[in-house]
Amino acid sequence: MTKIVFLSSSDIHGYIMPTDYQKKAEYHAALGLSRVSSAIKAERAKFGAENVVVTDAGDCLQGSPLASYVYSTEDLEVLDQYTDLYNLVGYDARCLGNHDFDYGLNFLKHYLNRNQAPFLNDNILDAQSKLPALGQSYQILVKNGIRIGLLGVTTEKVPDWEPAANVAGLKFTSAYAQVKHYAKILRKQVDVLAVIYHGGFEADPLSGTKTEPANGENEGYRILTELPEVDVLLTGHQHRKLALVTKNTAIVQPGYRGEAVGEVILEIDDKSKEIRSKTARLLDVHAYLPDQALLDHCSELEQATQSWLDQPLAHLPEPAPLGDANHARLVGAPFINLLQEMQLFFTQADVSATAVMSDTAPGFDREVTMRDILLNYPYANQLCLVRLTGRQLREIIEYSLAFLEKNDQGEVTFAPQWRNLLFNFDVFYPVNYQADISRPPGHRLTQLDLEGKPLADEKNYHLAVNSYRAHGGGFYPGYSADKIEKTVDKDYVQMFQEFLTQTKVEVDRRQNYRFN
């Protein structure tokens, strides 16, 4: 028997060092590419490099303060330094994630050209030729006499979340359809077929229970159940931690920020080349010391990032704390109100909606630094002005209330199926609203007022909300591209800087919503 081992990372989001950047000198966090690299090196040594395939499923360019610093320099040599950190891992193949488009095509193309590993791309097409753009369509590796075919696909929803310039000339098509097409071509040429997919599952992989609308964002369940040619499915995007074998396919998804590495082990008959067994597990990186080679290579970038993060940008008259993220989601917090007020300032909307974007960031103290802004709002979204009727806005708020349930003690909390997706739980301001969580979802609002008056179903209102949500991200009802009246041509870092320094900021400590 020959063992072929797949090691898969995904959604590193620029976290290289073992730190979450909450504090300047703390490097003990159980995350980061430096720990991922050590886990991969250990498994390569254990099984032999000739038996190991190392892949990454995207979202590497954006998400951490270090990645934000690299982009802020506008220096492609700095981007090269950053890219070489991924090169040191020694990937065999990679695919793109949706956030890899956040900084534009020129930035992305330079990054791709510097990478030593091939990028596999079957469903991001040149809009004119309809051929795969930004990489190659597949790869065949030979490991210890076993022919291994690799495909790469990315969630097709990228154009819904990105400015048009960031995807100009590209056509994003169904990941499922393209895997189906290439699997038929590749299957007869290889002993093992693996798919690297920056996407997840629209239904539970074991039960088939639908977990979200089948709108193309995640097509993993369809690939799993309708394409028996696929032996291994290496996924990402949803930030879930998955490792299982079902329907004769091994599946992994290794979480977020390099907290784990997915490992699939195939036992293959030496003569027939048939797969005799499949196993899947996650390697938690806390068990591995950071790779010293990556730490050394990253040292200069890291020092520059830390200095950049501690730039004082603004001074508030009083703190705007967030506190415990889940408590803030349930009862409100001054930082949430400040973020909502900023969105209203730049759009002149009637209502603002936002989620708490970080589970660990504390909000703002009196002195606000770049570190504070990036930790509290780590996503490269834009701000949109959306036109909605009162009825549509009510439906949107009711959808957010469906995240909630009452526990055995009668306390309001988050339902289990939503606890890893709370970046999709929006709250709304300055409307005053109350909800009875004992009622069925869709019928929970007991009060919804704006400036002392109930929202009128047929009246048009303007809502300020981030671009991800405005294009339907999170599967909210009511949102669509045709309802977007304006997109603010600034990112959230720029908006925070302007709002905090050019306006007279007053921290609002009111609680404008209650869940009973």
Side-chain angles (χ1 to χ4, degrees), residues 6 53 55-57 92-96 118-123 132 136-141 148-154 175-187 189-190 192-198 223 227 229-235:
F6 289 86
V53 179
T55 68
D56 180 83
D92 291 296
R94 308 177 67 184
C95 78
L96 290 170
F119 273 78
L120 305 183
N121 163 37
D122 296 308
N123 72 316
Q136 64 193 61
S137 53
Y138 62 85
Q139 183 181 26
I140 297 177
L141 299 175
I148 301 162
L150 296 171
L151 299 174
V153 282
T154 302
Y176 163 81
Q178 292 301 97
V179 171
K180 181 179 180 180
H181 171 75
Y182 282 100
K184 293 186 183 306
I185 296 170
L186 209 54
R187 180 73 260 189
Q189 304 178 50
V190 298
V192 176
L193 182 59
V195 174
I196 312 168
Y197 178 30
H198 190 81
I223 293 171
L227 301 179
E229 298 93 339
V230 177
D231 300 306
V232 180
L233 190 49
L234 309 165
T235 70

Side-chain angles (χ1 to χ4, degrees), residues 474-516:
F475 309 106
Y476 273 74
Y479 292 116
S480 59
D482 63 305
K483 295 186 179 74
I484 299 173
E485 292 194 346
K486 181 175 89 170
T487 299
V488 178
D489 190 22
K490 305 174 191 288
D491 62 27
Y492 273 75
V493 171
Q494 292 172 290
M495 288 191 295
F496 265 120
Q497 286 181 279
E498 290 184 26
F499 178 68
L500 297 179
T501 59
Q502 299 177 20
T503 68
K504 185 178 180 180
V505 175
E506 294 183 7
V507 177
D508 184 359
R509 296 182 171 274
R510 291 176 301 150
Q511 181 181 353
N512 68 297
Y513 57 88
R514 296 181 187 278
F515 309 139
N516 303 305

Side-chain angles (χ1 to χ4, degrees), residues 290-495:
D291 184 338
Q292 192 61 47
L294 263 78
L295 298 184
D296 292 344
H297 189 85
C298 194
S299 176
E300 181 183 337
L301 270 181
E302 178 66 14
Q303 290 178 30
T305 298
Q306 292 288 0
S307 296
W308 179 72
L309 285 174
D310 287 331
Q311 303 171 69
L313 299 177
H315 191 85
L316 297 179
E318 59 179 306
L322 181 68
D324 177 78
N326 279 352
H327 185 260
R329 290 174 174 122
L330 292 173
V331 302
F335 174 77
I336 297 175
N337 291 349
L338 185 68
L339 173 55
Q340 305 272 39
E341 288 180 330
M342 183 189 77
Q343 294 190 163
L344 292 174
F345 173 80
F346 281 101
T347 60
Q348 300 300 302
D350 303 300
V351 181
S352 174
T354 192
V356 174
M357 296 298 185
S358 170
D359 287 331
T360 55
F364 289 164
D365 206 338
R366 282 190 172 87
E367 184 175 86
V368 180
T369 65
M370 184 67 75
R371 185 188 305 272
D372 298 320
I373 292 174
L374 289 171
L375 289 176
N376 283 281
Y377 205 101
Y379 297 106
N381 293 325
Q382 291 182 289
L383 178 62
C384 294
L385 181 69
V386 178
R387 183 189 70 257
L388 298 164
T389 66
R391 179 179 290 108
Q392 289 168 331
L393 186 53
R394 177 182 290 273
E395 290 172 353
I396 286 169
I397 297 173
E398 284 282 10
Y399 181 88
S400 74
L401 296 172
F403 283 57
L404 303 172
E405 68 175 14
K406 284 193 172 182
N407 63 19
D408 293 340
Q409 290 75 45
E411 301 164 327
V412 176
T413 186
F414 291 100
Q417 67 269 30
W418 297 111
R419 288 174 189 166
N420 291 326
L421 297 167
L422 294 181
F423 53 85
N424 283 327
F425 176 71
D426 283 353
V427 293
F428 303 82
Y429 177 95
V431 288
N432 290 297
Y433 63 107
Q434 296 189 32
D436 182 351
I437 306 306
S438 64
R439 291 184 176 184
H443 304 278
R444 290 178 165 178
L445 278 171
T446 58
Q447 177 187 346
L448 178 57
D449 296 340
L450 179 62
E451 297 177 344
K453 298 178 181 178
L455 258 67
D457 281 353
E458 303 306 321
K459 182 179 176 180
N460 283 327
Y461 296 88
H462 285 99
L463 176 71
V465 68
N466 70 58
S467 52
Y468 173 74
R469 189 76 74 242
H471 285 95
F475 309 106
Y476 273 74
Y479 292 116
S480 59
D482 63 305
K483 295 186 179 74
I484 299 173
E485 292 194 346
K486 181 175 89 170
T487 299
V488 178
D489 190 22
K490 305 174 191 288
D491 62 27
Y492 273 75
V493 171
Q494 292 172 290
M495 288 191 295

Side-chain angles (χ1 to χ4, degrees), residues 8-83:
S8 175
S9 63
S10 187
D11 296 272
I12 299 292
H13 281 285
Y15 283 87
I16 309 298
M17 306 290 282
T19 178
D20 60 7
Y21 291 94
Q22 298 289 333
K23 296 183 179 177
K24 185 170 184 176
E26 289 192 359
Y27 291 95
H28 307 294
L31 55 82
L33 187 69
S34 56
R35 291 191 191 269
V36 166
S37 181
S38 289
I40 288 169
K41 283 184 175 180
E43 294 302 281
R44 271 204 190 106
K46 177 180 176 181
F47 291 102
E50 70 278 9
N51 297 308
V52 175
V53 179
V54 183
T55 68
D56 180 83
D59 274 5
C60 294
L61 270 182
Q62 182 277 338
S64 73
L66 188 147
S68 295
Y69 167 73
V70 170
Y71 179 64
S72 77
T73 68
E74 300 182 351
D75 185 340
L76 293 178
E77 289 186 3
V78 175
L79 176 57
D80 289 344
Q81 283 182 271
Y82 176 80
T83 306

